[in-house]
Amino acid sequence: MSKPVFLALVCCLGWVSLANGQEFLSGIEWPEPQVVTPGEKPTDAPSDATILIGSEGMSAWKGGDQWKFAEGVATADKGGIETKEEFGDVQVHLEWASPEEVKGRGQGRGNSGIFFMGKYEVQILDSYDNPTYFDGQAGAVYKQSPPMVNAMKKPGEWNTYDIIFNRPVRNDKGDVIAPAHITVLHNGVVLQNSYAVRGSTNWHKPPAYEPHGEKGSIGLQFHGNPVKFRNMWVREIKPIEPTFVPEDTEMVRYKADWSTEKMKTAPAPETSAAPEEKAEPESKPAEPAKEDAKEEK
C-alpha cells in the first residue's frame, strides 16, 4: 500500500470515528486565563512576580538592612529576615550559594533556610560532600522529608530553588482539613514532589499544625554562615475558578473541603463478550500402589 493511500485511509477512519462518537462538553464556563509575560530566561521574573532580591536592594524585607548587599547579591548576616508583604499559595524562585571557603561540617556548613508563613522550612545547606542527617540536607522539608536526591553544586557555585508552596486549609472550626504541600526543584531536579507537610518544621519537637492566618511572610534564616542570595522573586498563585457550573454536571470541581467530598469514578465499560470459561484442571495420573517395604524373612 502506498504512503498517500495509507494516510488517506487513516484520515477517513478518524472522520468516521468522530461521526459515530459524541464530543464531551462539561457545560462549565471559565474566565479567560490572565496573560503573563515570562522572563527572557526561565529563571527571570515573569511580569506578575514580586521581586524580593534584585538590583534595588533589600527594601522588601523586615530586617533587610542587617544583611550585606552589593550588586544584586545579599549575604546573610546578623539575623533572619522576613518579607514585609504576606502571601498565601506561592511560587518562589531564588538563587543561593554556600561560602566558597569551606568551614565547619554537617549543619554548621553553609546553613540557612527559607520559611513559609514562619512555620514551614525548606533547608538550605552546603550538602556537597558534607554528611549530615538526611532530613536536614539541602532541599529537605526540615526534620520531615529528605530530598529524593542530592543535586548540590560545589561550594561557592550558584544553586537555584524553584518552590511551590500550598498553605494548609482549615474549616470554620480551625481544624486542618487539607495539609500544606511543598514541591521543590533544586537546580532543575525534583527533590520534593507535592510533599504533604505534617506541621511546623521544628528542630526541637515533633511536627504539629499551629494556628496562623491564611497569609504569612516568607523568611530567610541566618544560621551563622554567610550564605549568598540573588534573583529571588515570588508569585502568589490561585486556582482559576469557573464563572458557571451546571447543577447536573458530573465534573467534580476543586473545593477547599476536598476531604468531605466523594470523588466520582467513571463507570466500568460495558462488554458483550462472554466471560472466559475456565479450563478444567488436568487430572493427575493415579500414583502406583506402594509395595510393602518389609521383606519376608
Side-chain angles (χ1 to χ4, degrees):
M1 182 184 294
S2 66
K3 186 175 181 181
V5 173
F6 174 76
L7 293 174
L9 180 59
V10 171
C11 291
C12 289
L13 290 174
W15 282 111
V16 170
S17 176
L18 287 174
N20 292 335
Q22 185 175 357
E23 182 183 2
F24 167 73
L25 297 174
S26 69
I28 298 175
E29 297 178 5
W30 300 93
E32 182 178 0
Q34 177 187 350
V35 174
V36 172
T37 304
E40 292 185 8
K41 301 190 299 292
T43 57
D44 291 344
S47 59
D48 64 342
T50 298
I51 306 299
L52 298 179
I53 299 177
S55 59
E56 302 301 322
M58 302 293 288
S59 60
W61 299 88
K62 298 176 185 177
D65 56 347
Q66 300 180 90
W67 285 26
K68 299 174 182 177
F69 183 85
E71 298 180 350
V73 176
T75 303
D77 193 20
K78 296 182 181 178
I81 60 176
E82 62 180 23
T83 58
K84 295 176 181 177
E85 186 175 352
E86 295 187 341
F87 304 92
D89 298 348
V90 290
Q91 172 191 354
V92 172
H93 173 86
L94 70 153
E95 299 169 17
W96 59 275
S98 61
E100 185 174 2
E101 182 182 358
V102 175
K103 292 183 178 180
R105 61 181 181 177
Q107 295 294 302
R109 181 172 145 187
N111 193 325
S112 182
I114 176 171
F115 284 81
F116 297 90
M117 296 185 160
K119 304 290 184 183
Y120 314 105
E121 180 187 8
V122 174
Q123 175 74 314
I124 291 173
L125 189 80
D126 182 358
S127 291
Y128 188 87
D129 194 20
N130 180 30
T132 186
Y133 48 90
F134 302 138
D135 52 7
Q137 283 187 204
V141 177
Y142 186 65
K143 290 289 183 78
Q144 291 191 34
S145 177
M148 290 186 282
V149 296
N150 184 342
M152 187 73 192
K153 292 187 177 182
K154 294 180 180 180
E157 295 185 5
W158 287 99
N159 293 268
T160 64
Y161 270 179
D162 289 284
I163 302 173
I164 297 174
F165 171 79
N166 295 102
R167 63 177 178 81
V169 178
R170 302 173 188 270
N171 60 18
D172 294 339
K173 298 179 181 179
D175 302 321
V176 174
I177 58 174
H181 284 82
I182 293 178
T183 297
V184 180
L185 279 76
H186 183 194
N187 296 324
V189 180
V190 176
L191 303 191
Q192 306 288 341
N193 184 15
S194 192
Y195 171 72
V197 182
R198 299 174 183 269
S200 299
T201 53
N202 306 296
W203 68 271
H204 62 299
K205 61 181 180 179
Y209 277 104
E210 304 167 4
H212 59 71
E214 294 187 358
K215 292 189 175 185
S217 298
I218 296 172
L220 291 176
Q221 182 186 48
F222 175 63
H223 201 275
N225 303 132
V227 179
K228 295 180 179 180
F229 297 87
R230 72 180 185 187
N231 192 24
M232 183 174 180
W233 48 263
V234 58
R235 296 178 62 246
E236 192 157 20
I237 52 178
K238 297 179 181 179
I240 189 167
E241 294 287 351
T243 55
F244 174 75
V245 180
E247 292 184 1
D248 60 346
T249 183
E250 292 298 314
M251 296 269 296
V252 179
R253 57 176 293 216
Y254 168 85
K255 289 186 177 179
D257 56 343
W258 59 271
S259 61
T260 63
E261 181 174 346
K262 295 181 179 180
M263 301 294 287
K264 297 180 180 179
T265 58
E270 296 181 0
T271 176
S272 58
E276 294 183 2
E277 296 182 1
K278 294 183 178 179
E280 290 290 332
E282 296 181 2
S283 59
K284 296 181 179 179
E287 295 182 1
K290 295 182 179 178
E291 297 181 358
D292 191 354
K294 294 181 180 179
E295 296 182 358
E296 294 182 3
K297 292 183 179 179

